Amino acid sequence: GNSVTQMEGPVTLSEEAFLTINCTYTATGYPSLFWYVQYPGEGLQLLLKATKADDKGSNKGFEATYRKETTSFHLEKGSVQVSDSAVYFCALSDPVEGGSEKLVFGKGTKLTVNP
Amino acid sequence: NAGVTQTPKFQVLKTGQSMTLQCAQDMNHNSMYWYRQDPGMGLRLIYYSASEGTTDKGEVPNGYNVSRLNKREFSLRLESAAPSQTSVYFCASSLTGNTEAFFGQGTRLTVV
């Protein structure tokens, strides 16, 4: 089945630093790609998504571009804030029998931003 | 706007006890999921249901059973809890498997 690999953390940055969290995928066909964020003590919530090659998802200053040629969907932000401290998960859709799909997640990358 | 509601939020079980985690969504979603989250392991899929009336095993189904009671509800049952099942459990739902998933707040389960 489809799978994702994302960079292991933790990642520690100073406020206003540039952020990149790498995510690569293995898939048949063209899955939808997602980044989710989990703040302490909460469930996951969608940060951004892309559904086809060359699509750029963006939200709250975060961006990721669906790169078919490199099978990647790296998360970037130009200037992080303390409030961005969270765990970030890359995910993709994985086809299953019967024509449906399920969501598969990477292991997560913990980001800590210091003032 | 309730979204995805999980109960209970916290639970302590003794080894060998059974329990059911409840999950309900009010968004008319077709797909529902149960994940467990352990340190360093990310989110691992236990079971999922692509539509009402169907359930399938995920990555780590051993020791668990599920029921898709109707379109809204998807429960997870531990028949005989083991310490290895100590984890945080998340229920999620999505319209389909390639659309945004909405998560519950999680259930922190400790098996002693």
Side-chain angles (χ1 to χ4, degrees):
Chain A
N2 296 348
S3 63
V4 291
T5 302
Q6 64 180 103
M7 64 185 280
E8 303 265 336
V11 174
T12 302
L13 296 173
S14 297
E15 209 164 21
E16 298 184 4
F18 185 85
L19 169 71
T20 301
I21 301 177
N22 291 338
C23 173
T24 57
Y25 67 90
T26 302
T28 54
Y30 303 99
S32 295
L33 300 173
F34 307 87
W35 277 101
Y36 283 81
V37 59
Q38 183 182 31
Y39 298 104
E42 298 184 11
L44 280 72
Q45 55 187 276
L46 181 69
L47 181 60
L48 53 84
K49 68 177 182 182
T51 57
K52 60 183 189 298
D54 300 325
D55 262 4
K56 179 186 280 189
S58 61
N59 186 25
K60 299 181 181 180
F62 291 89
E63 292 183 341
T65 301
Y66 192 140
R67 301 280 189 205
K68 177 169 158 284
E69 62 277 9
T70 55
T71 61
S72 64
F73 193 55
H74 303 323
L75 183 68
E76 297 182 334
K77 186 174 186 183
S79 176
V80 294
Q81 305 301 311
V82 172
S83 57
D84 294 326
S85 298
V87 181
Y88 293 82
F89 292 89
C90 187
L92 83 170
S93 56
D94 183 21
V96 297
E97 277 188 39
S100 185
E101 302 185 60
K102 65 181 193 286
L103 280 175
V104 176
F105 286 82
K107 291 185 188 266
T109 302
K110 183 175 181 180
L111 170 67
T112 301
V113 181
N114 294 319
Chain B
N1 295 334
V4 178
T5 304
Q6 275 181 249
T7 55
K9 283 193 157 184
F10 301 93
Q11 184 72 48
V12 179
L13 289 179
K14 293 182 178 177
T15 297
Q17 286 185 317
S18 62
M19 80 162 293
T20 300
L21 280 64
Q22 307 285 354
C23 176
Q25 52 92 7
D26 61 2
M27 295 172 282
N28 202 36
H29 284 169
N30 295 307
S31 299
M32 296 188 74
Y33 310 85
W34 277 105
Y35 294 91
R36 60 178 287 174
Q37 185 176 27
D38 303 292
M41 301 296 289
L43 279 174
R44 292 184 292 171
L45 183 63
I46 304 171
Y47 272 93
Y48 65 98
S49 171
S51 61
E52 184 180 357
T54 68
T55 60
D56 287 284
K57 295 178 180 179
E59 185 183 353
V60 288
N62 291 346
Y64 305 95
N65 285 301
V66 290
S67 295
R68 183 77 182 263
L69 304 167
N70 47 55
K71 194 169 186 180
R72 290 187 64 247
E73 298 172 286
F74 188 41
S75 62
L76 178 72
R77 183 160 178 83
L78 286 70
E79 291 291 351
S80 179
S84 61
Q85 294 177 305
T86 293
S87 188
V88 180
Y89 292 85
F90 286 101
C91 178
S93 73
S94 60
L95 185 60
T96 65
N98 65 356
T99 59
E100 176 183 1
F102 292 81
F103 282 77
Q105 290 294 302
T107 297
R108 186 173 294 275
L109 175 67
T110 302
V111 183
V112 297

